mmCIF file of all heavy atoms in Angstrom:
data_model
loop_
_atom_site.group_PDB
_atom_site.id
_atom_site.type_symbol
_atom_site.label_atom_id
_atom_site.label_comp_id
_atom_site.label_asym_id
_atom_site.label_seq_id
_atom_site.Cartn_x
_atom_site.Cartn_y
_atom_site.Cartn_z
ATOM 1 N N TRP A 394 66.385 5.813 -44.482
ATOM 2 C CA TRP A 394 65.433 4.703 -44.355
ATOM 3 C C TRP A 394 64.622 4.489 -45.628
ATOM 4 O O TRP A 394 64.255 3.396 -45.979
ATOM 5 C CB TRP A 394 64.512 4.942 -43.158
ATOM 6 C CG TRP A 394 65.189 4.622 -41.848
ATOM 7 C CD1 TRP A 394 66.418 4.042 -41.689
ATOM 8 C CD2 TRP A 394 64.681 4.868 -40.538
ATOM 9 N NE1 TRP A 394 66.702 3.909 -40.362
ATOM 10 C CE2 TRP A 394 65.659 4.412 -39.622
ATOM 11 C CE3 TRP A 394 63.496 5.431 -40.038
ATOM 12 C CZ2 TRP A 394 65.485 4.492 -38.250
ATOM 13 C CZ3 TRP A 394 63.326 5.509 -38.663
ATOM 14 C CH2 TRP A 394 64.309 5.047 -37.780
ATOM 15 N N GLU A 395 64.358 5.603 -46.301
ATOM 16 C CA GLU A 395 63.619 5.467 -47.562
ATOM 17 C C GLU A 395 64.463 4.675 -48.555
ATOM 18 O O GLU A 395 63.980 3.755 -49.228
ATOM 19 C CB GLU A 395 63.277 6.842 -48.135
ATOM 20 C CG GLU A 395 62.359 6.750 -49.337
ATOM 21 C CD GLU A 395 62.112 8.086 -50.010
ATOM 22 O OE1 GLU A 395 62.041 9.112 -49.296
ATOM 23 O OE2 GLU A 395 61.995 8.106 -51.239
ATOM 24 N N ALA A 396 65.753 5.028 -48.608
ATOM 25 C CA ALA A 396 66.661 4.332 -49.520
ATOM 26 C C ALA A 396 66.761 2.844 -49.177
ATOM 27 O O ALA A 396 66.920 1.991 -50.045
ATOM 28 C CB ALA A 396 68.034 4.978 -49.469
ATOM 29 N N MET A 397 66.683 2.534 -47.901
ATOM 30 C CA MET A 397 66.769 1.143 -47.466
ATOM 31 C C MET A 397 65.438 0.401 -47.596
ATOM 32 O O MET A 397 65.350 -0.788 -47.305
ATOM 33 C CB MET A 397 67.198 1.085 -45.986
ATOM 34 C CG MET A 397 68.617 1.551 -45.742
ATOM 35 S SD MET A 397 68.904 1.818 -43.970
ATOM 36 C CE MET A 397 68.940 0.131 -43.381
ATOM 37 N N GLY A 398 64.396 1.116 -47.981
ATOM 38 C CA GLY A 398 63.086 0.466 -48.090
ATOM 39 C C GLY A 398 62.365 0.381 -46.744
ATOM 40 O O GLY A 398 61.335 -0.266 -46.623
ATOM 41 N N TYR A 399 62.902 1.028 -45.744
ATOM 42 C CA TYR A 399 62.242 1.032 -44.436
ATOM 43 C C TYR A 399 61.058 1.985 -44.393
ATOM 44 O O TYR A 399 60.142 1.842 -43.609
ATOM 45 C CB TYR A 399 63.243 1.447 -43.353
ATOM 46 C CG TYR A 399 64.107 0.340 -42.821
ATOM 47 C CD1 TYR A 399 65.181 0.610 -41.988
ATOM 48 C CD2 TYR A 399 63.846 -0.990 -43.126
ATOM 49 C CE1 TYR A 399 65.974 -0.403 -41.487
ATOM 50 C CE2 TYR A 399 64.621 -2.007 -42.638
ATOM 51 C CZ TYR A 399 65.696 -1.716 -41.821
ATOM 52 O OH TYR A 399 66.468 -2.718 -41.319
ATOM 53 N N LEU A 400 61.133 3.015 -45.243
ATOM 54 C CA LEU A 400 59.998 3.932 -45.374
ATOM 55 C C LEU A 400 59.601 3.975 -46.840
ATOM 56 O O LEU A 400 60.452 3.806 -47.719
ATOM 57 C CB LEU A 400 60.377 5.359 -44.937
ATOM 58 C CG LEU A 400 60.668 5.593 -43.458
ATOM 59 C CD1 LEU A 400 61.184 7.011 -43.241
ATOM 60 C CD2 LEU A 400 59.413 5.365 -42.622
ATOM 61 N N THR A 401 58.320 4.210 -47.108
ATOM 62 C CA THR A 401 57.904 4.396 -48.497
ATOM 63 C C THR A 401 58.371 5.777 -48.939
ATOM 64 O O THR A 401 58.685 6.614 -48.097
ATOM 65 C CB THR A 401 56.374 4.357 -48.632
ATOM 66 O OG1 THR A 401 55.846 5.528 -47.978
ATOM 67 C CG2 THR A 401 55.782 3.108 -47.998
ATOM 68 N N PRO A 402 58.411 6.014 -50.244
ATOM 69 C CA PRO A 402 58.635 7.395 -50.689
ATOM 70 C C PRO A 402 57.492 8.275 -50.186
ATOM 71 O O PRO A 402 56.453 7.764 -49.775
ATOM 72 C CB PRO A 402 58.591 7.291 -52.215
ATOM 73 C CG PRO A 402 58.821 5.853 -52.518
ATOM 74 C CD PRO A 402 58.310 5.075 -51.358
ATOM 75 N N VAL A 403 57.675 9.568 -50.241
ATOM 76 C CA VAL A 403 56.632 10.493 -49.800
ATOM 77 C C VAL A 403 55.370 10.260 -50.626
ATOM 78 O O VAL A 403 55.425 10.239 -51.856
ATOM 79 C CB VAL A 403 57.101 11.954 -49.960
ATOM 80 C CG1 VAL A 403 55.961 12.912 -49.623
ATOM 81 C CG2 VAL A 403 58.302 12.226 -49.062
ATOM 82 N N GLN A 404 54.274 10.039 -49.940
ATOM 83 C CA GLN A 404 53.010 9.809 -50.633
ATOM 84 C C GLN A 404 52.351 11.157 -50.925
ATOM 85 O O GLN A 404 52.419 12.066 -50.106
ATOM 86 C CB GLN A 404 52.067 8.998 -49.747
ATOM 87 C CG GLN A 404 52.720 7.831 -49.033
ATOM 88 C CD GLN A 404 52.645 6.569 -49.850
ATOM 89 O OE1 GLN A 404 51.567 6.117 -50.214
ATOM 90 N NE2 GLN A 404 53.804 6.008 -50.159
ATOM 91 N N VAL A 405 51.748 11.230 -52.096
ATOM 92 C CA VAL A 405 51.103 12.470 -52.496
ATOM 93 C C VAL A 405 49.658 12.153 -52.855
ATOM 94 O O VAL A 405 49.392 11.150 -53.512
ATOM 95 C CB VAL A 405 51.823 13.067 -53.734
ATOM 96 C CG1 VAL A 405 51.115 14.319 -54.217
ATOM 97 C CG2 VAL A 405 53.279 13.356 -53.420
ATOM 98 N N ASN A 406 48.727 12.947 -52.399
ATOM 99 C CA ASN A 406 47.332 12.670 -52.761
ATOM 100 C C ASN A 406 46.977 13.320 -54.095
ATOM 101 O O ASN A 406 47.795 14.015 -54.698
ATOM 102 C CB ASN A 406 46.371 13.033 -51.633
ATOM 103 C CG ASN A 406 46.153 14.537 -51.498
ATOM 104 O OD1 ASN A 406 46.634 15.321 -52.313
ATOM 105 N ND2 ASN A 406 45.438 14.935 -50.472
ATOM 106 N N GLU A 407 45.758 13.062 -54.547
ATOM 107 C CA GLU A 407 45.306 13.552 -55.861
ATOM 108 C C GLU A 407 45.561 15.026 -56.071
ATOM 109 O O GLU A 407 45.896 15.473 -57.154
ATOM 110 C CB GLU A 407 43.783 13.402 -55.979
ATOM 111 C CG GLU A 407 43.267 12.032 -56.042
ATOM 112 C CD GLU A 407 41.744 12.057 -55.932
ATOM 113 O OE1 GLU A 407 41.210 12.730 -55.028
ATOM 114 O OE2 GLU A 407 41.133 11.399 -56.760
ATOM 115 N N ARG A 408 45.352 15.774 -54.991
ATOM 116 C CA ARG A 408 45.470 17.220 -55.108
ATOM 117 C C ARG A 408 46.910 17.693 -54.968
ATOM 118 O O ARG A 408 47.163 18.891 -54.889
ATOM 119 C CB ARG A 408 44.584 17.899 -54.069
ATOM 120 C CG ARG A 408 43.168 18.074 -54.578
ATOM 121 C CD ARG A 408 42.221 18.426 -53.469
ATOM 122 N NE ARG A 408 41.662 17.233 -52.848
ATOM 123 C CZ ARG A 408 41.621 17.016 -51.532
ATOM 124 N NH1 ARG A 408 42.125 17.886 -50.706
ATOM 125 N NH2 ARG A 408 41.086 15.921 -51.072
ATOM 126 N N GLY A 409 47.818 16.730 -54.941
ATOM 127 C CA GLY A 409 49.224 17.082 -54.907
ATOM 128 C C GLY A 409 49.729 17.396 -53.508
ATOM 129 O O GLY A 409 50.855 17.853 -53.337
ATOM 130 N N HIS A 410 48.905 17.155 -52.479
ATOM 131 C CA HIS A 410 49.373 17.381 -51.114
ATOM 132 C C HIS A 410 50.318 16.271 -50.693
ATOM 133 O O HIS A 410 50.031 15.100 -50.905
ATOM 134 C CB HIS A 410 48.190 17.412 -50.130
ATOM 135 C CG HIS A 410 47.348 18.624 -50.268
ATOM 136 N ND1 HIS A 410 47.621 19.797 -49.629
ATOM 137 C CD2 HIS A 410 46.240 18.843 -51.005
ATOM 138 C CE1 HIS A 410 46.713 20.695 -49.951
ATOM 139 N NE2 HIS A 410 45.858 20.146 -50.797
ATOM 140 N N ARG A 411 51.425 16.670 -50.086
ATOM 141 C CA ARG A 411 52.362 15.670 -49.585
ATOM 142 C C ARG A 411 51.844 15.094 -48.285
ATOM 143 O O ARG A 411 51.568 15.822 -47.344
ATOM 144 C CB ARG A 411 53.734 16.320 -49.350
ATOM 145 C CG ARG A 411 54.422 16.745 -50.641
ATOM 146 C CD ARG A 411 55.520 17.743 -50.344
ATOM 147 N NE ARG A 411 56.576 17.150 -49.514
ATOM 148 C CZ ARG A 411 57.647 16.550 -50.018
ATOM 149 N NH1 ARG A 411 57.793 16.458 -51.323
ATOM 150 N NH2 ARG A 411 58.565 16.041 -49.221
ATOM 151 N N LEU A 412 51.666 13.772 -48.254
ATOM 152 C CA LEU A 412 51.115 13.137 -47.055
ATOM 153 C C LEU A 412 52.209 12.620 -46.131
ATOM 154 O O LEU A 412 51.982 12.354 -44.966
ATOM 155 C CB LEU A 412 50.204 11.970 -47.448
ATOM 156 C CG LEU A 412 49.029 12.355 -48.343
ATOM 157 C CD1 LEU A 412 48.308 11.115 -48.841
ATOM 158 C CD2 LEU A 412 48.061 13.248 -47.592
ATOM 159 N N GLY A 413 53.399 12.459 -46.681
ATOM 160 C CA GLY A 413 54.501 11.942 -45.872
ATOM 161 C C GLY A 413 54.844 10.514 -46.243
ATOM 162 O O GLY A 413 54.191 9.908 -47.084
ATOM 163 N N ARG A 414 55.908 9.992 -45.616
ATOM 164 C CA ARG A 414 56.312 8.605 -45.874
ATOM 165 C C ARG A 414 55.579 7.687 -44.909
ATOM 166 O O ARG A 414 55.245 8.103 -43.804
ATOM 167 C CB ARG A 414 57.814 8.455 -45.657
ATOM 168 C CG ARG A 414 58.670 9.330 -46.559
ATOM 169 C CD ARG A 414 60.123 9.196 -46.126
ATOM 170 N NE ARG A 414 61.040 9.876 -47.036
ATOM 171 C CZ ARG A 414 61.469 11.131 -46.856
ATOM 172 N NH1 ARG A 414 61.043 11.847 -45.827
ATOM 173 N NH2 ARG A 414 62.314 11.676 -47.704
ATOM 174 N N ARG A 415 55.407 6.436 -45.340
ATOM 175 C CA ARG A 415 54.769 5.478 -44.430
ATOM 176 C C ARG A 415 55.795 4.473 -43.902
ATOM 177 O O ARG A 415 56.717 4.070 -44.600
ATOM 178 C CB ARG A 415 53.620 4.738 -45.109
ATOM 179 C CG ARG A 415 52.360 5.571 -45.186
ATOM 180 C CD ARG A 415 51.140 4.718 -45.456
ATOM 181 N NE ARG A 415 50.762 3.895 -44.328
ATOM 182 C CZ ARG A 415 50.046 4.334 -43.297
ATOM 183 N NH1 ARG A 415 49.637 5.575 -43.251
ATOM 184 N NH2 ARG A 415 49.733 3.521 -42.309
ATOM 185 N N VAL A 416 55.577 4.086 -42.670
ATOM 186 C CA VAL A 416 56.410 3.068 -42.042
ATOM 187 C C VAL A 416 56.112 1.712 -42.685
ATOM 188 O O VAL A 416 54.957 1.401 -42.955
ATOM 189 C CB VAL A 416 56.064 2.999 -40.538
ATOM 190 C CG1 VAL A 416 56.743 1.818 -39.878
ATOM 191 C CG2 VAL A 416 56.439 4.303 -39.855
ATOM 192 N N THR A 417 57.175 0.928 -42.964
ATOM 193 C CA THR A 417 56.940 -0.402 -43.531
ATOM 194 C C THR A 417 57.131 -1.474 -42.464
ATOM 195 O O THR A 417 57.711 -1.218 -41.411
ATOM 196 C CB THR A 417 57.931 -0.712 -44.667
ATOM 197 O OG1 THR A 417 59.248 -0.808 -44.089
ATOM 198 C CG2 THR A 417 57.906 0.368 -45.740
ATOM 199 N N GLU A 418 56.639 -2.668 -42.797
ATOM 200 C CA GLU A 418 56.793 -3.827 -41.921
ATOM 201 C C GLU A 418 58.280 -4.049 -41.595
ATOM 202 O O GLU A 418 58.648 -4.354 -40.465
ATOM 203 C CB GLU A 418 56.218 -5.051 -42.654
ATOM 204 C CG GLU A 418 56.132 -6.301 -41.828
ATOM 205 C CD GLU A 418 55.082 -6.194 -40.718
ATOM 206 O OE1 GLU A 418 54.013 -5.623 -40.980
ATOM 207 O OE2 GLU A 418 55.368 -6.682 -39.619
ATOM 208 N N GLY A 419 59.114 -3.851 -42.623
ATOM 209 C CA GLY A 419 60.551 -4.066 -42.441
ATOM 210 C C GLY A 419 61.133 -3.177 -41.350
ATOM 211 O O GLY A 419 61.942 -3.618 -40.526
ATOM 212 N N LEU A 420 60.691 -1.939 -41.335
ATOM 213 C CA LEU A 420 61.190 -1.010 -40.318
ATOM 214 C C LEU A 420 60.727 -1.445 -38.928
ATOM 215 O O LEU A 420 61.488 -1.407 -37.962
ATOM 216 C CB LEU A 420 60.704 0.404 -40.615
ATOM 217 C CG LEU A 420 61.134 1.482 -39.599
ATOM 218 C CD1 LEU A 420 62.650 1.536 -39.453
ATOM 219 C CD2 LEU A 420 60.590 2.845 -39.983
ATOM 220 N N LEU A 421 59.478 -1.885 -38.870
ATOM 221 C CA LEU A 421 58.945 -2.317 -37.582
ATOM 222 C C LEU A 421 59.742 -3.489 -37.036
ATOM 223 O O LEU A 421 60.050 -3.566 -35.854
ATOM 224 C CB LEU A 421 57.472 -2.703 -37.723
ATOM 225 C CG LEU A 421 56.549 -1.538 -38.047
ATOM 226 C CD1 LEU A 421 55.164 -2.043 -38.412
ATOM 227 C CD2 LEU A 421 56.476 -0.578 -36.868
#
Side-chain angles (χ1 to χ4, degrees):
W394 282 353
E395 188 186 325
M397 292 167 72
Y399 276 170
L400 292 173
T401 68
V403 175
Q404 316 269 302
V405 177
N406 75 6
E407 292 171 312
R408 274 166 271 131
H410 289 274
R411 292 162 63 91
L412 301 172
R414 300 174 173 94
R415 281 198 71 82
V416 171
T417 67
E418 187 69 40
L420 179 57
L421 293 170

